[in-house]
Amino acid sequence: MHIHFIAIGGSAMHNLAIALHKKGYQVTGSDDVIFEPSAGRLAKYGILPAQLGWNEDNITPNLDAVILGMHALTDNPELLKAQKMGLKIYSYPEYIYEQTKNKLRVVIGGSHGKTTITSMILHVLNYYKRDFDYLVGAQLAGFETMVKITAEAPLIVIEGDEYLASPIDRRPKFHLYKANIAVISGIAWDHINVFKTYADYVKQFELFIDTIQPGGKLIYCKADHDLVKVVDEATADVEKIGYGIPEHLIKDGITYLMPEEIPLKIFGDHNLMNLNAAKLICAQLNVNNEQFDAAIQSFTGAAKRLELLVSRNKTNVYKDFAHSPSKLKATIEAVKAQFPDRKLTACIELHTFSSLNKDFLVQYAHTMEAADTAIVYIDEKTFQHKKMEPFNKNDVQTAFKSNKLQFFDKPEALQDCLLNVNFYHTNLLLMSSGNFGGLDLVKLARELNIEA
């Protein structure tokens, strides 16, 4: 098989390219820009394009398939030639389904928690050396790639994103996997550039339930009232299994699952609900509760999800992927609940298209109230790049409904602020789906003043 990737440098795309290369396929690709770590990883397997840019000569009649990445545009010259030649063109999720249609497909959907739930399931299955394929949205400890596709594995665990499949396929990705077993972790409006209203966004989850194969299972969060309404009204031929927060105890900064007092390396209500979702999925995959509890104790979390950067002098510094209003609020409250005797400085970078939309910004009202010090950072270059009208301090304070909130739009100013604070007995939470204007967060965490 000869597969050509248009926009091979994307996070998901380059991982699939590597997975197919390891499966023995001939893989080629193109892109106009490829950043690290994609470039280095493609080079390692000998499939990094020799030159950047699009080249019609890459599209030949001997291609078995073309996989089109979301980064490509509809007028991409390689895409236009492939269409003209009548070649089979797949979106990323379409091709995943094509490769796994004879396997048991577990699809994890929801507005938040998808990566963590998927990572927990992978951790447990790996702990027991089970044979499985997977697709996950973050690099995980113990897993070389974010995608694994083999001929032999009987099942695949898929993180099911609700964003669009490709520039020429406007369906959400998770509609295309046709799950046998599915999770919906919750619904919180996102991707407003595509789903203009909350009702339109919710509709995608209603449609997702209808794609679950007849006789399949739907595992869903009972704590989300809007989701419960969607599930109750769904008429699909599926078994519906709800979950909530498991019984637990927090003692000396450690969360224990009760009644057995199983110590965990993770914490927070969201993570605990994610754990319950993962446990229910694993039960469907013949991993019993006792086995699950034994394996989950060593789970340290997915990358950038409450990732501990520094811990000293009763001060922890965390990096987290939180960007949506609901996740921001939940993450702040989780850290406060875990360490009630410590102060908390919470810093969020608004980076996504949704969060930089003035009409959507009001969704952040009161989300940072649990923090002792709240900071919002928006890189001024992000507005320029996205061609959007920039916010000022007053815009942000008004939307968040907090006149105490601090606002920065230059990375140097944010860094200076943090380095001039004494963080003794004060946790710091750095949250973003971006990179804080290129700040080295590990270096920053180590240089903080944490002296008694």
Side-chain angles (χ1 to χ4, degrees), residues 128-200:
Y128 290 108
K129 296 181 170 52
R130 294 277 294 272
D131 186 21
F132 61 96
D133 287 344
Y134 60 84
L135 185 169
V136 64
Q139 195 62 52
L140 305 180
F143 294 85
E144 186 188 4
T145 56
M146 293 158 59
V147 180
K148 181 186 167 204
I149 303 283
T150 64
E152 301 80 20
L155 69 101
I156 183 167
V157 183
I158 301 173
E159 179 178 340
D161 185 7
E162 69 271 24
Y163 199 66
L164 304 180
S166 87
I168 59 172
D169 187 345
R170 310 295 286 178
R171 293 174 293 175
K173 293 187 186 79
F174 68 164
H175 290 181
L176 305 180
Y177 298 126
K178 301 180 183 178
N180 303 108
I181 304 171
V183 170
I184 303 180
S185 62
I187 302 176
W189 191 21
D190 201 356
H191 308 306
I192 67 166
N193 54 322
V194 177
F195 309 113
K196 303 296 185 184
T197 65
Y198 180 60
D200 186 23

Side-chain angles (χ1 to χ4, degrees), residues 379-388:
D379 195 315
E380 58 183 356
K381 294 175 185 172
T382 302
F383 284 113
Q384 297 165 11
H385 177 68
K386 295 182 187 286
K387 297 177 181 175
M388 301 173 76

Side-chain angles (χ1 to χ4, degrees), residues 347-368:
C347 179
I348 173 78
E349 176 184 16
L350 299 184
H351 177 77
T352 64
F353 183 93
S354 297
S355 66
L356 298 178
N357 181 290
K358 224 163 199 168
D359 294 332
F360 186 82
L361 193 65
V362 296
Q363 303 283 330
Y364 286 92
H366 307 297
T367 53
M368 301 186 79

Side-chain angles (χ1 to χ4, degrees), residues 111-112 114 162 188-191 305 320-329 331 348-356 360 364 367 400 431-434:
S111 303
H112 41 69
K114 295 185 293 292
E162 69 271 24
W189 191 21
D190 201 356
H191 308 306
R305 273 70 175 182
D320 194 86
F321 193 70
H323 57 272
S324 69
S326 59
K327 186 71 195 299
L328 170 62
K329 186 173 187 289
T331 304
I348 173 78
E349 176 184 16
L350 299 184
H351 177 77
T352 64
F353 183 93
S354 297
S355 66
L356 298 178
F360 186 82
Y364 286 92
T367 53
F400 277 76
M431 296 166 285
S432 176
S433 59

Side-chain angles (χ1 to χ4, degrees), residues 74-113:
T74 54
D75 63 354
N76 183 286
E78 295 187 14
L79 169 61
L80 294 176
K81 185 175 179 183
Q83 289 172 321
K84 187 176 180 180
M85 292 176 64
L87 295 176
K88 181 61 184 174
I89 301 168
Y90 292 94
S91 67
Y92 177 92
E94 270 185 315
Y95 197 75
I96 293 290
Y97 173 74
E98 186 66 24
Q99 290 277 303
T100 61
K101 57 189 176 185
N102 296 320
K103 299 177 187 284
L104 180 73
R105 292 176 304 284
V106 178
V107 181
I108 316 302
S111 303
H112 41 69

